[in-house]
Amino acid sequence: MGSLISQENNSPNVPTNPLDPEEFRRQGHLVIDFIADYYKSIEKHPVLSQVQPGYLKKRLPDTAPYNPEPLETILQDVQDHIVPGITHWQSPNYFAYFPSSGSVAGFLGEMLSSGFNVVGFNWMSSPAATELESTVRDWFGNMLKLPKSFLFSGNGGDVIQGTTCEALVCAMVAARDQKLSKFGRHNIGKLVVYGSDQTHSALQKASQIVGIHPENFRSIETTRSTSFALSPESLKVIIYSDIEAGLVPLFLCATVGTTAIATVDPLGPLCGVAGDYGMWVHVDAAYAGSACICPEFRHFFDGVEGADSFSLNAHKWFFTTLDCCCLWVKNPNTLVSSLSTYPEYLRNKATELKQVVDYKDWQIALSRRFRSMKLWLVLRSYGVANLRNFLRSHVKMAKIFEGLVAMDKRFEIVAPRNFSLVCFRVSPSSISNKASSDQNGKTDYCCDANGDENSVIINEVNRKLLESINVSGHVYMTHGVVGGLYMLRFAVGATLTEEHHIALAWKVVQEHADQILTKY
Ligand SMILES: *Cc1c(COP(=O)(O)O)cnc(C)c1O
């Protein structure tokens, strides 16, 4: 036993203290240099990681090291083994999903937050964490011109959650308990949740967690004629039939900037319908909400005053690192009455005197990160003026891309562009008669994919095109399917993207289309 201990202590580079400030300074600089170098050469990597499943297990040892290893060695392994398995979300050639726009301010805010490493569950546990959070989101709420009823100053309130999924669970729990306090808890099986077929899957997940009967989840069909926005008339019809069946409408999620094509649901009319039936309306503006700090985009929020809660991911298109979802609610008491607990060890005077907000009662977990720090750094380091300009430049680049697509007759824009997302595809008329007439003898192609053979072929062409683009590693885009129609999504918003990257991306698309179309 004694020999084992002395052996451990004899190890050459035993750190004296895992939180030694001078070691932090030295190693911290190494890591910052590493990250800065990564950004300088980020375009050298294939945007979409090209590794195969299980690649890393082959490269790393099966057990953790017994003795310490120097940071220099670890960073070399990050370079050699981790970087190849990274999909480079911060690459200027990244146009997939929605952006996860990083920034120096966001990274440094994250660093400060990690550096303090506080666990701010209630006010007492770190007053600055709570108070900065309230301040920063009131700033942000004002920038978005949210109605006062959502802000602390107007009896509403806001909280930073990790993700939209969590925000939706919290809002739905509050709505559920409010409703069941009237109807009786035994009626939980009658509650109905509504969204459209374009609503993010987070709504379904939330309704599963919250205990909504799986058959009472409504994914209302949208159509091309309304640009795939949720129609208030369709909502009304379904609510009628649910009420006739003895069910209780509970919750509607409307979206500003849907996941597939960034369409915008008509908030005012939808809130009107939901209001008639005493439903809770949540507005999910995860990606597109950021744009509404620009006056020219603010109209997309028109009608939000009729909603009960509203959320936006600052970690998507607002230069703040993952995770940072801002949730505003009109009646915070509903959240608190569903989510609060008050164990003995958290009892304190400030809470008892009701002088403070304890955010543990506004979220799922007890412990919480100091996320407002990074949002504060982003807002202060860039200011409203620059933030608007950054977002506008992304929208402008999306417009440029849209223009390039429109000039090439082989392609078509699939859905109207509202923000920085362009949805396009090889158009049915561009596949020559060769393959299709060989296969089915038809030459008139149907734009509304209804599962007929031409649609199957054109979907396959577009799927192959996307795959071939992404395997090239030059750019990364993802796909969407609306109304049975497969399309490529080009989402601008990576912080490093400049106009020449847009031109390059389009060239890549064209080259791969040239190759693929020779076969059709
Ligand atoms: C990204 C996105 C979500 C999911 O956000 P998370 O923070 O990952 O939960 C939900 N809704 C919309 C519209 C989104 O774009």
Side-chain angles (χ1 to χ4, degrees):
M1 198 64 198
S3 66
L4 184 61
I5 286 168
S6 63
Q7 188 191 334
E8 281 174 9
N9 287 345
N10 281 345
S11 175
N13 40 20
V14 169
T16 49
N17 183 331
L19 196 47
D20 179 74
E22 288 311 321
E23 266 310 293
F24 174 66
R25 193 188 309 281
R26 187 186 72 80
Q27 297 188 27
H29 279 102
L30 288 178
V31 171
I32 298 273
D33 284 343
F34 180 89
I35 299 173
D37 290 341
Y38 166 74
Y39 275 95
K40 279 185 107 167
S41 62
I42 194 164
E43 289 187 63
K44 287 197 194 125
H45 308 290
V47 188
L48 173 65
S49 171
Q50 309 283 314
V51 301
Q52 295 303 312
Y55 90 100
L56 193 56
K57 195 164 170 38
K58 296 189 197 118
R59 298 194 187 195
L60 298 185
D62 289 334
T63 53
Y66 186 70
N67 287 316
E69 297 182 273
L71 182 66
E72 288 82 347
T73 310
I74 302 170
L75 284 179
Q76 191 58 53
D77 283 349
V78 174
Q79 186 66 51
D80 296 344
H81 304 309
I82 303 300
V83 171
I86 297 275
T87 288
H88 301 279
W89 285 67
Q90 304 308 318
S91 163
N93 300 312
Y94 178 96
F95 305 101
Y97 307 103
F98 280 134
S100 168
S101 55
S103 69
V104 171
F107 297 156
L108 298 184
E110 185 78 60
M111 205 174 187
L112 282 170
S113 157
S114 301
F116 291 124
N117 200 27
V118 299
V119 184
F121 32 67
N122 60 11
W123 180 85
M124 268 283 282
S125 68
S126 226
T130 293
E131 297 198 12
L132 186 64
E133 186 159 334
S134 308
T135 304
V136 161
R137 280 185 337 273
D138 260 5
W139 283 9
F140 199 11
N142 281 319
M143 287 163 63
L144 293 164
K145 298 223 165 5
L146 285 185
K148 216 168 178 189
S149 52
F150 281 112
L151 308 183
F152 275 110
S153 43
N155 288 329
D158 35 31
V159 56
I160 301 184
Q161 305 253 342
T163 63
T164 299
C165 287
E166 294 160 70
L168 270 168
V169 169
C170 293
M172 204 184 290
V173 163
R176 177 197 69 187
D177 292 350
Q178 197 183 29
K179 193 59 101 183
L180 293 180
S181 69
K182 280 200 207 114
F183 284 78
R185 293 208 73 92
H186 58 285
N187 278 318
I188 185 165
K190 293 185 179 165
L191 301 179
V192 191
V193 168
Y194 303 83
S196 82
D197 55 7
Q198 301 301 312
T199 306
H200 194 276
S201 60
L203 182 69
Q204 192 186 348
K205 186 179 248 191
S207 84
Q208 284 166 208
I209 294 172
V210 168
I212 304 304
H213 193 289
E215 283 175 11
N216 293 348
F217 178 77
R218 304 277 175 267
S219 173
I220 302 170
E221 197 181 341
T222 57
T223 60
R224 207 172 187 180
S225 64
T226 58
S227 300
F228 301 98
L230 175 56
S231 130
E233 287 70 35
S234 309
L235 174 66
K236 209 182 236 172
V237 167
I238 291 180
I239 291 178
Y240 274 146
S241 75
D242 284 336
I243 289 177
E244 260 176 26
L247 300 175
V248 179
L250 172 69
F251 192 95
L252 167 69
C253 180
T255 309
V256 175
T258 54
T259 310
I261 57 172
T263 202
V264 178
D265 290 334
L267 302 185
L270 290 172
C271 289
V273 173
D276 290 343
Y277 300 96
M279 293 164 66
W280 181 297
V281 181
H282 179 83
V283 174
D284 172 6
Y287 146 74
S290 310
C292 297
I293 66 164
C294 304
E296 68 271 29
F297 291 107
R298 175 57 180 78
H299 66 93
F300 288 115
F301 278 172
D302 286 354
V304 72
E305 58 280 0
D308 298 277
S309 52
F310 165 85
S311 62
L312 183 166
N313 282 350
H315 61 248
K316 263 194 177 141
W317 196 21
F318 208 66
F319 312 96
T320 310
T321 52
L322 186 69
D323 50 359
C324 190
C325 171
C326 301
L327 169 69
W328 284 266
V329 286
K330 260 193 190 157
N331 185 353
N333 287 335
T334 55
L335 274 188
V336 173
S337 65
S338 291
L339 298 170
S340 73
T341 52
Y342 196 33
E344 180 57 38
Y345 70 97
L346 295 180
R347 290 186 184 270
N348 71 89
K349 208 164 129 197
T351 298
E352 243 125 83
L353 293 175
K354 297 199 187 321
Q355 292 170 320
V356 295
V357 174
D358 290 336
Y359 280 126
K360 69 179 176 55
D361 298 334
W362 298 48
Q363 63 170 26
I364 296 168
L366 168 68
S367 301
R368 57 200 319 271
R369 309 175 58 221
F370 195 169
R371 296 190 185 97
S372 56
M373 180 63 86
K374 51 193 183 183
L375 189 50
W376 192 47
L377 258 83
V378 167
L379 294 175
R380 293 191 58 188
S381 301
Y382 305 122
V384 179
N386 273 312
L387 289 166
R388 282 180 179 159
N389 287 338
F390 295 153
L391 298 173
R392 282 172 179 146
S393 78
H394 296 156
V395 174
K396 182 179 165 213
M397 288 189 276
K399 270 187 199 161
I400 292 174
F401 188 83
E402 188 182 32
L404 293 168
V405 175
M407 279 188 318
D408 187 330
K409 291 286 170 280
R410 299 173 300 171
F411 289 88
E412 68 180 10
I413 299 289
V414 172
R417 184 196 48 74
N418 288 321
F419 304 99
S420 65
L421 173 70
V422 181
C423 299
F424 69 103
R425 64 170 185 166
V426 168
S427 75
S429 58
S430 71
I431 53 176
S432 72
N433 301 344
K434 190 171 24 138
S436 44
S437 51
D438 283 355
Q439 285 172 32
N440 55 34
K442 278 197 260 173
T443 48
D444 53 330
Y445 302 107
C446 175
C447 266
D448 289 294
N450 292 321
D452 61 59
E453 280 182 59
N454 289 322
S455 323
V456 172
I457 294 170
I458 199 66
N459 280 357
E460 180 189 307
V461 168
N462 280 289
R463 194 176 297 115
K464 285 196 173 151
L465 172 62
L466 179 64
E467 192 180 294
S468 134
I469 289 169
N470 287 338
V471 166
S472 81
H474 295 305
V475 293
Y476 180 30
M477 300 172 205
T478 48
H479 76 281
V481 176
V482 283
L485 189 152
Y486 185 100
M487 69 205 176
L488 285 74
R489 296 170 71 267
F490 186 79
V492 184
T495 313
L496 293 171
T497 304
E498 296 174 14
E499 282 183 28
H500 66 93
H501 297 107
I502 303 294
L504 173 87
W506 177 240
K507 209 169 139 233
V508 171
V509 172
Q510 284 185 310
E511 281 169 9
H512 287 265
D514 289 345
Q515 282 170 25
I516 290 193
L517 284 173
T518 58
K519 298 182 201 128
Y520 285 88

